[in-house]
Amino acid sequence: MRFRSDPAQIRGSIAPLVTPFTDAGDVDHEALRTLVRWQLAAGSHGISLGGSTGEPSAQSIAERAEGIRTVAAEIGDRVPFLPGTGSAKLAETLELTAAARDAGADAALVITPYYARPTQEALYVWYSTVAREFPDLPIVAYNVPSRTAVDIAPETVGRLHRDHDNFVGVKETTKDFEHFSRVLHAAGPDLLVWSGIELLCLPLLPLGGAGFVSALANIAPAAVAQMYEAAVAGDAQRAREIHFGVHPLVDLLFVETNPAPAKWLMKERGLITSDHVRSPLIPLTESGQEKVRALAAAADQYLTPVEVAV
């Protein structure tokens, strides 16, 4: 939690881990610890757990809290930890955010409440409630309208940022790049904005983005981290080379519903022991496996070797 008092340090490639399960469907905590070690060895600048890639809605609050504790203990304060603590229910969101705070998280990533389709005023009240409940914990909104059916407006983000000192940022997972600009314009340059859209990670940085929370980091953490490092070092050519080079791997992630393709490839490469995904998702189909193999081969040089974990 050493980054909690200065959330502006939470920058770069924040890897949003998959939640590994056993073949029986239980959370595999040993595999989770291995993934954290692998991410840190590969150069990821931070860790997240419980975003869409982590299948949070298919887990109980107790399971999610235990996963947060496992990851926090394994990180040991070496890099920022930004776990997802949101739910469709306010009580669950507060319970899980408290668990993250107590585990030593540096900030809480709180998804917009899904299914209910709240108004902007309702979203303001929701995030204000969370921010007031945890005044010493940085709060980051997670905007992913393709999954939640609600889009937190730039004006609402700006209002929250002005009204609550601990409302520090937003993870934007929208393909509307104009939205990124409007959020920064409405809230000001000190708002921390991370991209959750793989092919908008690099373009966000010149606008003042803090980095990215990209599912691609589950299979190519070194490349994603190096793209950020090249960009901030002024090596635009190298950053663009990686950006375009990983295109096949980005396509790979979405051959079928994320995270099934990534989990299948991670199992194939020996990073996890099972590619189990919880219902309503299903494991990658045979036709999907063929596509993933081809796309992985097309950008093999950008896949981070499994041996980095040693």
Side-chain angles (χ1 to χ4, degrees):
M1 57 185 283
R2 68 187 177 95
F3 303 95
R4 186 182 294 182
S5 62
D6 186 11
Q9 296 184 69
I10 308 176
R11 294 179 177 273
S13 174
I14 312 299
L17 303 183
V18 302
T19 299
F21 299 116
T22 65
D23 283 332
D26 299 318
V27 177
D28 188 341
H29 287 269
E30 185 52 45
L32 196 51
R33 285 186 280 267
T34 297
L35 291 181
V36 171
R37 293 193 294 270
W38 186 66
Q39 288 289 340
L40 298 183
S44 290
H45 305 112
I47 301 291
S48 183
L49 177 72
S52 302
T53 301
E55 300 173 73
S57 61
Q59 297 177 60
S60 69
I61 297 301
E63 285 177 316
R64 293 176 65 185
E66 189 60 26
I68 287 172
R69 287 189 284 269
T70 293
V71 171
E74 190 62 42
I75 292 173
D77 239 9
R78 286 175 286 178
V79 298
F81 180 36
L82 180 64
T85 64
S87 168
K89 297 179 180 179
L90 182 59
E92 291 182 348
T93 297
L94 297 178
E95 179 183 350
L96 196 53
T97 303
R101 175 201 58 198
D102 296 344
D106 295 287
L109 182 65
V110 181
I111 196 168
T112 51
Y114 37 90
Y115 189 77
R117 301 180 67 184
T119 64
Q120 292 302 309
E121 184 63 24
L123 289 172
Y124 175 82
V125 171
W126 175 278
Y127 281 106
S128 292
T129 301
V130 178
R132 283 194 300 267
E133 185 76 15
F134 303 97
D136 298 323
L137 181 67
I139 303 299
V140 176
Y142 178 15
N143 189 37
V144 55
S146 66
R147 288 183 181 264
T148 64
V150 64
D151 191 358
I152 185 169
E155 295 76 17
T156 304
V157 173
R159 183 183 173 196
L160 287 163
H161 188 50
R162 288 189 298 272
D163 291 353
H164 303 283
D165 291 341
N166 62 325
F167 185 91
V168 301
V170 59
K171 174 189 173 184
E172 286 288 356
T173 307
T174 171
K175 293 184 178 181
D176 180 2
F177 193 56
E178 182 177 302
H179 185 91
F180 287 80
S181 184
R182 293 192 180 279
V183 165
L184 283 162
H185 182 254
D190 63 329
L191 182 79
L192 301 170
V193 181
W194 297 268
S195 174
I197 297 293
E198 280 65 32
L199 297 184
L200 293 181
C201 286
L202 182 60
L204 174 62
L205 296 181
L207 293 180
F212 13 96
V213 187
S214 169
L216 183 58
N218 281 287
I219 58 174
V224 180
Q226 290 164 16
M227 182 173 70
Y228 174 84
E229 292 166 1
V232 298
D235 190 348
Q237 181 175 344
R238 174 59 177 160
R240 285 196 299 269
E241 174 189 318
I242 298 173
H243 169 82
F244 290 113
V246 298
H247 267 232
L249 301 183
V250 174
D251 292 341
L252 178 162
L253 295 173
F254 304 104
V255 162
E256 292 174 13
T257 304
N258 173 49
K263 278 191 162 183
W264 181 83
L265 183 62
M266 293 167 76
K267 179 188 176 183
E268 286 291 295
R269 303 183 70 227
L271 267 172
I272 54 179
T273 60
S274 173
D275 63 344
H276 182 91
V277 289
R278 284 189 176 173
S279 181
L281 299 183
I282 60 171
L284 193 65
T285 62
E286 288 189 12
S287 62
Q289 292 172 19
E290 293 179 9
K291 293 175 183 176
V292 166
R293 285 194 188 94
L295 290 165
D300 178 75
Q301 69 269 35
Y302 292 102
L303 291 169
T304 301
V306 173
E307 292 73 20
V308 168
V310 181

